[in-house]
Amino acid sequence: MTADVAAAEPVTADFWFDPLCPWAWMTSRWMLEVEKLRPVHVRWRVMSLAVLNEGRDLPEKYRALMDEAWGPVRVCIAAEQAHGADVLGPLYTALGTRFHNGQQPRDRATIESALEEAGLPKSLADAMDSTEYDEALRKSHAEGIGLVGEDVGTPVIAVPGVTGERVAFFGPVVTPAPKGEAAARLWDGTLLVASTPGFYEIKRTRTEGPNFE
């Protein structure tokens, strides 16, 4: 780490996630690595693929996945309301490790196991089938999408812009999650493009699926 980086002002990065998205999971593991190497604090936020895709014409398989997507995000919002925003990081890690690395079913038993690992009561899994938390879920989702636009998915990351406003972007989409200085360099580049007025997109076709190793 250079002296300039070490002396830099700490940055709060808001990270909106849906636990079901494998690409958001990859990016989140990269952000945890960045926290070790740069003066960055990740503030975990919840967005919803189910909300994002409401009213869209989806293939049957993906529509079934969206039906499953309500449960985990409702549980995340319920946990945040009952125990504070700081529980979202550990809960997301516990859920994602099971859903993606472990390829476990997205059912109540898996979610209860994740809650227990995160030090939270298993009774929060009751939120899976309840609409009680949907208003708060939609509000959290809208805050992220409102910064970056409707034509993206998860993850959404927001950081301070050059004039103090929050600048948000979708991604980066990367596999496998970079480690060490490679992770730090990618973050530096991400901040650079995010601070460039009028910059919108860099993209290429994905040739690999998520690598969870």
Side-chain angles (χ1 to χ4, degrees):
M1 183 184 300
T2 67
D4 288 343
V5 170
E9 288 293 320
V11 171
T12 296
D14 289 293
F15 188 110
W16 277 269
F17 68 92
D18 184 311
L20 259 65
C21 179
W23 294 106
W25 175 246
M26 300 298 300
T27 307
S28 73
R29 300 309 94 182
W30 163 68
M31 281 304 306
L32 291 180
E33 187 77 2
V34 170
E35 276 193 310
K36 302 174 187 176
L37 300 163
R38 293 292 188 263
V40 178
H41 167 67
V42 180
R43 185 162 55 192
W44 302 100
R45 313 285 295 274
V46 184
M47 66 180 294
S48 170
L49 291 173
V51 172
L52 183 68
N53 285 286
E54 280 183 322
R56 296 184 179 181
D57 186 16
L58 303 173
E60 184 175 346
K61 182 178 180 180
Y62 196 71
R63 190 164 57 248
L65 180 63
M66 291 303 95
D67 290 341
E68 288 187 359
W70 286 102
V73 288
R74 284 168 169 166
V75 171
C76 287
I77 292 293
E80 179 183 27
Q81 288 192 355
H83 300 277
D86 288 346
V87 305
L88 286 178
L91 179 56
Y92 180 28
T93 291
L95 288 168
T97 300
R98 286 162 174 76
F99 291 163
H100 305 299
N101 300 71
Q103 294 295 299
Q104 295 181 27
R106 296 177 285 267
D107 59 13
R108 182 175 180 119
T110 300
I111 289 176
E112 285 184 348
S113 175
L115 287 164
E116 189 172 34
E117 180 183 312
L120 296 166
K122 293 193 291 185
S123 60
L124 285 169
D126 291 343
M128 290 179 66
D129 302 312
S130 171
T131 60
E132 177 182 352
Y133 302 96
D134 287 4
E135 182 178 353
L137 171 61
R138 290 177 184 278
K139 181 180 178 181
S140 180
H141 175 88
E143 287 173 351
I145 289 297
L147 290 172
V148 76
E150 293 284 348
D151 56 342
V152 300
T154 175
V156 169
I157 300 177
V159 296
V162 291
T163 59
E165 82 285 5
R166 302 296 283 177
V167 176
F169 51 88
F170 163 66
V173 175
V174 60
T175 185
K179 302 293 184 184
E181 192 57 26
R185 288 197 304 270
L186 177 58
W187 175 250
D188 296 340
T190 300
L191 287 184
L192 176 62
V193 298
S195 67
T196 303
F199 178 86
Y200 291 105
E201 187 172 8
I202 292 177
K203 190 171 184 179
R204 64 175 178 167
T205 300
R206 301 176 198 171
T207 58
E208 297 182 45
N211 179 346
F212 304 123
E213 293 181 4

